[in-house]
Amino acid sequence: MKTAVVGLGIVGGSIALGLKENPDYTVFGLTRSESTAEYALSAGMISKGSTRPEEILPEAELVIICLYPDAMESFVRENAAFFRPGAVLMDVTGIKRGIVPQILAAKPPQCDFVFTHPMAGRESRGIKFASADVLKGANFLIVPAEGNRPESLALVEKLAKDCGFGKITRLSPEEHDRGIAFTSQLSHVIAVALVNASRNEAKVEALSGDSYRGITRIASINEDLWAELFMGNREYLLEMIALFEAEVDKIKLRLEESDPEGLKELFRSSARIKNTL
Amino acid sequence: MKTAVVGLGIVGGSIALGLKENPDYTVFGLTRSESTAEYALSAGMISKGSTRPEEILPEAELVIICLYPDAMESFVRENAAFFRPGAVLMDVTGIKRGIVPQILAAKPPQCDFVFTHPMAGRESRGIKFASADVLKGANFLIVPAEGNRPESLALVEKLAKDCGFGKITRLSPEEHDRGIAFTSQLSHVIAVALVNASRNEAKVEALSGDSYRGITRIASINEDLWAELFMGNREYLLEMIALFEAEVDKIKLRLEESDPEGLKELFRSSARIKNTL
């Protein structure tokens, strides 16, 4: 299958690498800069690369658009004439409610668009950090839209399996955005806040164990991408921050009241939930 | 050197394994249960094991006490008569201000006591999860006390290096407890709170990426140990929770005010701090 990856950053590049050895796919790259296309070609990630949509899109049976959320809609609208009739388009964006109606309105009617979220981001950015390993066993989310053909959904599921993704889950846009606000966005709020709180603390590195390193790994955050993701999901994210803060406050209260039994109850609860996952 | 490890849980067991192949050390184990001593013997972790202090302590030139904080003082006091004169004793406790004066008052005057904190804990507990790997490259903290002989501190530093620990840092009890409140205890507050907040959220596992897994790994917390650690350091921990919450509130405010530039500023700050570590 002739497959175009649009945007060869950490996600697009990793997907291209995940398909590299697979004879079912011939991978093309559409990039913003010449140098990225050249790098991808020389690394064997793609068999053809260009910065010109008209050289890549008309051939592609599957187009995997790996752009930031705010760039998605204009890319699809401006290139509507270049997509091959009958092609399946897909995205990899981390928020869905805002994007789904925009894209459905912008896409050419003869193409099906499948909304996905491969949960394989990394704190590094750019093609040089792309790696097929990050896809292995990672969760893959599909947000079916009205009008999606079953064959298109099946094609995207096959792609996810071929890349080595683990669990594949179908969700509504609301389920997706609420869930992601909790698991992914709140985790980034926590990491950023913890590292910013370390500003005036001494010897943090010498005093760090795996727990601190595990939380703060993602604090070297891609500011442009994550500002878009947070702003596009702010109501849910604010709700999740409030949920989290209420739980922090329970621990704080037990400490203020010198209540070790109350602390243990909260610890037992988290251990129980964690161990059932 | 004849070395006794008191308490063969995850930390004591891992240290015993770290010394196992080293001809400089002959390792004995003093355990609460017969079955732990038998397991350690049959696994080759120790060359002699017992539940009776009088069978282990009189021979040991170095005694590594790996007990929970609240059990430390009574162990040292009740066994004062059994320690070999001139022996170096050490602990591995995660809090220091409360323990240092207690232990200095309880130890026999002819033994030197070196306070340490190997930052190699794990969320699992018990000898079966012990592993020399967790020590490799981990931070090792020493809190010198008044009267510590330089040879005793050097002996403990050699032990840490022989076990494969990475950076070795000397700190005052206050520096230690404040730092640990931030890096270790606050990280555990965050993990417990986040997992407890997930109680009513749907499909958390299917929606998890590395960021959520990295934060919540430690939420399967040892309730007895961590209740002691938190209670023994509650003032500093409450201060650190407040610092963290103030940073979460900054992010919340930017979201409430729909201020993407303000968010980016906070992200740039965390990325800058993270990248200089």
Side-chain angles (χ1 to χ4, degrees):
Chain A
M1 165 156 311
K2 290 180 180 164
T3 304
V5 179
V6 180
L8 288 169
I10 183 94
V11 175
S14 298
I15 290 175
L17 283 170
L19 301 174
K20 188 182 161 184
E21 312 286 346
N22 192 322
D24 288 359
Y25 300 86
T26 306
V27 183
F28 309 145
L30 177 58
T31 62
R32 199 160 42 184
S33 81
E34 295 279 0
S35 63
T36 304
E38 280 158 23
Y39 177 90
L41 267 170
S42 67
M45 295 164 72
I46 54 175
S47 58
K48 178 170 142 183
S50 176
T51 60
R52 299 166 58 89
E54 61 273 31
E55 289 179 0
I56 297 291
L57 299 178
E59 272 192 89
E61 298 158 277
L62 173 62
V63 182
I64 307 171
I65 308 173
C66 304
L67 299 176
Y68 286 13
D70 290 359
M72 285 283 302
E73 192 262 348
S74 60
F75 176 84
V76 172
R77 188 167 29 76
E78 288 165 15
N79 294 291
F82 297 130
F83 293 113
R84 173 180 174 145
V88 173
L89 319 183
M90 66 176 260
D91 75 330
V92 298
T93 320
I95 43 175
K96 296 302 181 201
R97 279 169 308 156
I99 281 183
V100 171
Q102 276 186 8
I103 297 291
L104 291 179
K107 77 170 183 69
Q110 64 276 32
C111 292
D112 202 5
F113 201 108
V114 179
F115 296 90
T116 85
H117 180 185
M119 298 199 68
R122 276 298 175 277
E123 66 280 18
S124 317
R125 54 186 110 166
I127 191 166
K128 289 184 185 163
F129 294 96
S131 154
D133 290 344
V134 305
L135 316 180
K136 301 292 171 238
N139 284 318
F140 191 92
L141 309 176
I142 298 180
V143 177
E146 227 184 285
N148 274 154
R149 287 180 285 122
E151 311 87 80
S152 307
L153 296 171
L155 183 78
V156 167
E157 289 207 354
K158 174 174 165 15
L159 173 90
K161 285 178 192 154
D162 288 342
C163 284
F165 281 95
K167 195 176 171 66
I168 299 172
T169 305
R170 295 189 184 188
L171 302 146
S172 73
E174 290 71 26
E175 283 178 306
H176 174 275
D177 286 4
R178 183 184 170 94
I180 282 302
F182 184 74
T183 55
S184 172
Q185 299 187 333
L186 177 55
S187 295
H188 284 77
V189 168
I190 288 169
V192 167
L194 184 58
V195 167
N196 280 340
S198 79
R199 206 177 285 118
N200 301 312
E201 296 304 309
K203 299 186 180 151
V204 169
E205 203 181 356
L207 285 151
S208 295
D210 274 358
S211 54
Y212 187 78
R213 284 188 292 264
I215 298 181
T216 58
R217 183 183 58 78
I218 52 175
S220 175
I221 192 170
N222 177 333
E223 73 210 47
D224 296 316
L225 174 60
W226 284 90
E228 287 187 23
L229 293 172
F230 276 24
M231 293 310 298
N233 205 23
R234 49 190 286 278
E235 301 83 1
Y236 276 142
L237 181 52
L238 282 166
E239 190 180 334
M240 296 304 151
I241 293 173
L243 269 183
F244 169 69
E245 287 188 319
E247 293 295 332
V248 172
D249 286 344
K250 287 184 195 169
I251 298 175
K252 203 162 72 172
L253 192 69
R254 304 302 182 276
L255 284 167
E256 282 164 352
E257 295 179 345
S258 285
D259 174 9
E261 291 311 315
L263 276 178
K264 286 184 202 176
E265 214 170 282
L266 297 173
F267 294 165
R268 275 192 296 269
S269 159
S270 76
R272 199 164 44 233
I273 298 170
K274 175 72 186 159
N275 293 335
T276 58
L277 275 186
Chain B
M1 164 156 312
K2 289 180 179 166
T3 303
V5 180
V6 179
L8 288 170
I10 184 95
V11 175
S14 298
I15 291 175
L17 283 169
L19 300 174
K20 189 180 161 185
E21 312 286 344
N22 191 323
D24 289 358
Y25 300 88
T26 306
V27 182
F28 310 144
L30 176 57
T31 62
R32 200 160 43 185
S33 81
E34 296 278 1
S35 64
T36 305
E38 279 158 24
Y39 177 89
L41 267 171
S42 68
M45 296 164 72
I46 54 174
S47 57
K48 179 170 140 184
S50 176
T51 60
R52 300 165 58 87
E54 61 273 31
E55 289 180 358
I56 297 292
L57 300 179
E59 271 190 272
E61 298 158 278
L62 172 62
V63 182
I64 307 171
I65 308 172
C66 304
L67 299 177
Y68 286 13
D70 290 358
M72 285 284 301
E73 192 262 347
S74 59
F75 176 82
V76 173
R77 188 167 29 78
E78 288 165 15
N79 293 291
F82 296 132
F83 293 114
R84 171 179 175 146
V88 173
L89 319 182
M90 66 175 261
D91 75 328
V92 298
T93 320
I95 42 176
K96 296 301 182 200
R97 279 169 309 155
I99 280 186
V100 171
Q102 276 186 7
I103 297 290
L104 291 181
K107 79 169 181 68
Q110 65 275 31
C111 292
D112 202 7
F113 200 108
V114 179
F115 297 90
T116 86
H117 180 185
M119 299 200 67
R122 277 297 175 277
E123 65 280 18
S124 317
R125 55 186 108 169
I127 192 167
K128 288 181 187 165
F129 293 97
S131 154
D133 290 345
V134 304
L135 315 180
K136 300 293 170 237
N139 283 319
F140 191 92
L141 309 176
I142 298 180
V143 177
E146 226 184 287
N148 274 154
R149 286 181 286 122
E151 311 88 80
S152 307
L153 296 170
L155 184 79
V156 167
E157 290 207 353
K158 175 174 163 20
L159 173 90
K161 285 178 193 154
D162 288 341
C163 283
F165 282 95
K167 196 176 171 65
I168 300 172
T169 306
R170 296 189 184 189
L171 302 145
S172 73
E174 290 70 27
E175 283 179 307
H176 174 276
D177 285 4
R178 183 184 171 94
I180 283 302
F182 184 73
T183 55
S184 171
Q185 300 187 331
L186 177 55
S187 294
H188 283 78
V189 168
I190 288 168
V192 167
L194 183 58
V195 167
N196 280 340
S198 79
R199 207 178 285 118
N200 302 313
E201 295 305 308
K203 298 185 180 154
V204 169
E205 203 181 354
L207 286 151
S208 295
D210 274 358
S211 55
Y212 188 77
R213 283 188 292 265
I215 297 180
T216 58
R217 183 183 57 78
I218 51 174
S220 175
I221 192 170
N222 176 333
E223 73 209 47
D224 296 315
L225 174 60
W226 284 90
E228 287 188 22
L229 294 171
F230 276 24
M231 293 309 298
N233 205 24
R234 48 189 287 276
E235 302 82 1
Y236 276 142
L237 180 52
L238 282 166
E239 189 180 334
M240 297 303 152
I241 293 174
L243 269 183
F244 169 69
E245 286 188 321
E247 292 295 332
V248 172
D249 285 344
K250 286 185 196 168
I251 298 174
K252 204 162 72 171
L253 193 69
R254 305 301 181 279
L255 284 167
E256 282 164 353
E257 295 178 345
S258 285
D259 174 10
E261 291 309 316
L263 275 178
K264 286 184 201 177
E265 213 170 284
L266 296 173
F267 295 165
R268 275 193 295 269
S269 160
S270 76
R272 197 164 45 232
I273 298 171
K274 176 74 185 156
N275 294 336
T276 58
L277 275 186

